[in-house]
C-alpha cells in the first residue's frame, strides 16, 4: 500500500461517514466517562483515609503511560489492522510540542491534587466547570472556533452553575479544613481548570497536523512521560517515594493492601480519562471535548454525594441541573446541525463550512484532496 493511500485511510478516521468514526467516538467517550468519575472518587478516597502526599497524587495521574502502548502496538503487530508502523511520522517538532504540553499537563495535575486534598469532590467538580468559558475564548483565539448560539448558551449555563456554587462555598467547607486551606484548594482548582482550558485548544491545533488515532496515543505517551518526569522530580525533592512506602505501612487507615490497590486503580483510571480526552479532541474539537468533560463533572458531583455522603443542598441541585441542561442543549444542537448537513449532502448541496469541522464533520473527499496536495498536506507541514 502506498504512503498516500495509507494516509488517506488514516485521515478518514475523522470523517463522520467512516464506519469506524462513531464506534471510536463512543469508545473514547466511554473511557472519558469511566476515567473521569473513578479518578475523582479514588483521588478523594486517598486523601480521606490519611493519604497526604500531593506529589504522590500527582505522580499516579501520569505514571500509567505504559498502558497506552497497548492501543499503539496491538493494531499493528497483533491484529495487522493498520499498515502504519508505530511512531512513523513522529518528527522532532511533534516531539518538542508533546514534551512542552506534557510539562504543562504535569503542573495541571499538581494543581488538581492540591485542590482535591482540601475540597469535597462535588465542590471541586463544579469548580472545574469554570474552565469552559476560558476554553471558548482560547478556542476562538487559537483555533478560530466560531461562536454560535449553541455553544455560547452551553458555556453560559455551565459557567453560571460554578458561580452559584462559589456564592455558597463557605457552607461546604469540611470541618477539618481551615479557611486558609479551603481558599488554597479553591484557587488551585480554578487554576487547574484554567490551565486545562489552555491545554485543550493547543491540543486541537496540534491534532490538525496529526493524521491518525494511533499517532494521538503516541503523542499522549510522550506527554505523560514528561508529566511523570516532572512529578518524579517533585517526589524526589519532597521525599514522595519514601513517603509512599511509609503511608502504605503506617499511615493509610485501610491497610497496606488497600493503599496499593488505591494507587494502582488511580493509575488506570487516569489513563482512561486522558485517553478519552485526547480521543474526543481529535475526533471532534477542543470545545466539544471541554463541554463533554464538564458535563461529566455532574456525575462526579452525584458520585461524591453517593459515595462520601457529601452535602447536596439546593445550590448544588440547581448547579447540577444547569450543568445537565447546558450539555443536553449542546448535544441536541450538534445532532440537529449534523442532520441538516447530511440532508443537504443527500440533496446534492455538498460542502461543509469551517464550523462544521469543529463538531467533527469532515468531508473524506476534501481530505483526499488535501493529502494529494503537497502544499497543504498535514504531513508536509510536519516535515514528513
Amino acid at each position: 500500500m502506498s504512503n498516500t493511500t495509507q494516509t488517506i485511510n488514516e485521515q478518514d478516521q475523522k470523517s463522520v461517514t467512516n464506519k469506524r468514526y462513531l464506534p471510536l467516538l463512543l469508545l473514547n467517550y466511554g473511557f472519558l466517562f469511566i476515567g473521569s468519575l473513578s479518578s475523582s472518587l479514588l483521588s478523594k478516597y486517598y486523601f480521606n483515609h490519611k493519604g497526604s502526599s500531593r506529589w504522590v497524587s500527582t505522580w499516579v495521574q501520569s505514571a500509567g503511560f505504559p498502558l497506552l502502548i497497548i492501543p499503539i502496538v496491538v493494531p499493528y503487530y497483533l491484529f495487522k489492522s493498520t499498515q502504519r508502523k508505530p511512531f512513523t511520522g513522529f518528527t522532532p517538532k511533534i516531539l518538542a510540542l508533546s514534551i512542552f504540553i506534557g510539562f504543562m499537563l504535569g503542573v495541571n495535575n499538581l494543581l488538581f491534587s492540591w485542590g482535591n486534598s482540601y475540597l469535597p469532590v462535588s465542590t471541586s467538580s463544579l469548580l472545574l466547570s469554570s474552565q469552559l468559558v476560558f476554553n471558548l475564548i482560547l478556542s476562538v483565539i487559537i483555533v478560530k472556533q466560531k461562536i454560535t448560539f449553541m455553544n455560547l448558551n452551553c458555556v453560559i449555563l455551565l459557567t453560571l452553575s460554578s458561580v452559584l456554587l462559589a456564592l455558597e462555598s463557605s457552607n461546604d467547607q469540611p470541618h477539618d479544613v481551615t479557611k486558609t486551606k479551603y481558599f488554597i484548594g479553591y484557587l488551585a482548582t480554578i487554576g487547574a481548570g484554567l490551565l486545562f482550558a489552555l491545554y485543550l485548544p493547543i491540543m486541537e491545533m496540534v491534532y490538525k497536523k496529526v493524521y491518525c488515532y494511533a499517532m494521538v496515543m503516541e503523542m499522549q505517551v510522550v506527554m505523560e512521560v514528561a508529566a511523570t518526569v516532572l512529578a518524579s522530580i517533585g517526589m524526589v525533592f519532597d521525599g514522595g517515594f519514601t513517603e509512599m512506602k511509609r503511608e502504605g505501612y503506617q499511615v493509610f487507615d485501610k491497610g497496606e493492601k488497600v493503599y496499593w490497590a488505591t494507587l494502582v486503580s488511580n493509575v488506570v483510571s487516569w489513563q482512561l480519562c486522558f485517553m478519552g480526552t485526547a480521543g474526543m479532541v481529535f475526533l471532534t474539537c477542543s470545545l466539544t471535548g471541554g463541554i463533554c468533560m464538564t458535563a461529566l463533572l455532574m456525575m462526579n458531583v452525584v458520585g461524591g454525594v453517593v459515595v462520601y455522603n457529601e452535602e447536596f443542598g439546593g445550590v448544588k441541585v440547581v448547579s447540577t441541573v444547569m450543568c445537565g441542561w447546558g450539555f443536553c442543549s449542546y448535544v441536541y444542537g450538534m445532532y440537529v446541525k449534523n442532520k441538516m448537513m447530511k440532508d443537504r449532502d443527500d440533496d446534492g448541496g455538498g460542502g461543509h463550512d469551517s464550523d462544521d469541522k469543529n463538531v467533527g464533520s469532515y468531508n473524506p473527499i476534501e481530505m483526499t484532496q488535501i493529502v494529494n496536495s503537497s502544499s497543504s498536506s498535514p504531513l508536509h507541514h510536519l516535515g514528513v
Side-chain angles (χ1 to χ4, degrees):
M1 181 180 290
S2 67
N3 290 335
T4 302
T5 304
Q6 175 186 333
T7 303
I8 293 172
N9 290 338
E10 298 288 3
Q11 281 191 313
D12 201 32
Q13 290 177 359
K14 286 184 175 183
S15 172
V16 294
T17 60
N18 190 307
K19 63 181 181 180
R20 293 183 180 181
Y21 176 84
L22 185 58
L24 192 58
L25 183 65
L26 293 176
L27 181 64
N28 276 272
Y29 194 73
F31 288 155
L32 182 59
F33 176 85
I34 296 171
S36 175
L37 180 59
S38 58
S39 60
S40 294
L41 295 176
L42 287 167
S43 295
K44 191 62 183 178
Y45 184 84
Y46 167 79
F47 288 114
N48 278 355
H49 294 285
K50 299 186 178 180
S52 59
S53 176
R54 292 167 191 85
W55 281 113
V56 170
S57 180
T58 302
W59 186 79
V60 298
Q61 292 181 48
S62 57
F65 65 85
L67 295 174
L68 295 181
I69 299 295
I70 297 174
I72 294 174
V73 302
V74 167
Y76 180 80
Y77 290 104
L78 186 60
F79 295 136
K80 309 293 183 182
S81 58
T82 178
Q83 296 289 327
R84 179 186 175 275
K85 190 174 182 180
F87 291 95
T88 299
F90 212 86
T91 65
K93 182 178 180 181
I94 291 182
L95 179 63
L97 281 171
S98 299
I99 293 173
F100 170 75
I101 296 171
F103 285 134
M104 187 172 70
L105 184 63
V107 175
N108 179 79
N109 293 345
L110 177 61
L111 290 174
F112 176 83
S113 296
W114 209 284
N116 209 31
S117 65
Y118 292 139
L119 301 179
V121 173
S122 53
T123 302
S124 175
S125 298
L126 287 170
L127 284 177
L128 285 172
S129 65
S130 64
Q131 58 89 17
L132 198 57
V133 65
F134 296 100
N135 187 354
L136 176 61
I137 294 171
L138 292 170
S139 293
V140 171
I141 296 172
I142 297 174
V143 294
K144 310 303 179 185
Q145 169 75 47
K146 288 185 179 180
I147 297 180
T148 64
F149 175 77
M150 180 178 69
N151 56 38
L152 186 61
N153 174 64
C154 181
V155 168
I156 290 174
L157 286 172
L158 295 180
T159 304
L160 283 178
S161 71
S162 297
V163 173
L164 280 175
L165 180 68
L167 294 176
E168 293 290 331
S169 60
S170 59
N171 298 329
D172 200 36
Q173 180 178 328
H175 299 299
D176 58 342
V177 175
T178 64
K179 287 186 177 180
T180 301
K181 288 182 177 179
Y182 187 87
F183 184 68
I184 291 173
Y186 193 93
L187 289 180
T189 304
I190 292 293
L194 294 180
L195 198 56
F196 197 74
L198 177 62
Y199 165 79
L200 290 176
I202 289 178
M203 288 309 305
E204 181 183 354
M205 180 179 65
V206 174
Y207 286 162
K208 285 183 177 180
K209 300 177 180 181
V210 171
Y211 54 89
C212 66
Y213 182 77
M215 199 169 184
V216 171
M217 292 298 102
E218 292 162 4
M219 290 184 63
Q220 196 66 30
V221 168
V222 176
M223 290 177 209
E224 297 198 34
V225 168
T228 303
V229 169
L230 181 64
S232 297
I233 292 172
M235 291 268 283
V236 170
F237 281 98
D238 195 48
F241 289 107
T242 304
E243 178 68 14
M244 188 185 293
K245 294 180 180 179
R246 189 183 72 84
E247 278 186 343
Y249 282 117
Q250 304 174 7
V251 180
F252 200 72
D253 60 14
K254 291 293 184 178
E256 184 183 356
K257 290 182 179 180
V258 176
Y259 176 80
W260 291 110
T262 301
L263 294 189
V264 171
S265 299
N266 250 308
V267 167
V268 175
S269 63
W270 277 110
Q271 291 314 300
L272 290 175
C273 184
F274 287 132
M275 186 176 179
T277 302
M280 290 295 294
V281 173
F282 173 70
L283 293 168
T284 58
C285 68
S286 59
L287 183 60
T288 299
I291 287 173
C292 289
M293 287 201 67
T294 303
L296 284 179
L297 294 176
M298 175 178 62
M299 296 302 300
N300 291 357
V301 173
V302 176
V305 173
V306 173
V307 176
Y308 300 123
N309 296 317
E310 294 177 357
E311 213 177 296
F312 195 61
V315 172
K316 283 188 180 180
V317 171
V318 173
S319 295
T320 303
V321 170
M322 290 180 70
C323 186
W325 180 16
F327 176 68
C328 290
S329 66
Y330 183 78
V331 171
Y332 179 73
M334 286 181 63
Y335 166 76
V336 171
K337 187 169 187 177
N338 282 331
K339 189 174 185 299
M340 289 175 62
M341 289 194 304
K342 184 178 179 181
D343 292 341
R344 183 180 63 187
D345 290 344
D346 291 341
D347 293 338
H352 301 293
D353 59 27
S354 59
D355 189 43
D356 294 338
K357 293 180 181 180
N358 285 332
V359 293
S361 300
Y362 286 80
N363 190 322
I365 297 177
E366 292 173 354
M367 298 302 285
T368 303
Q369 292 172 344
I370 288 174
V371 173
N372 290 331
S373 172
S374 61
S375 61
S376 59
S377 169
L379 297 180
H380 173 77
H381 291 298
L382 292 175
V384 178

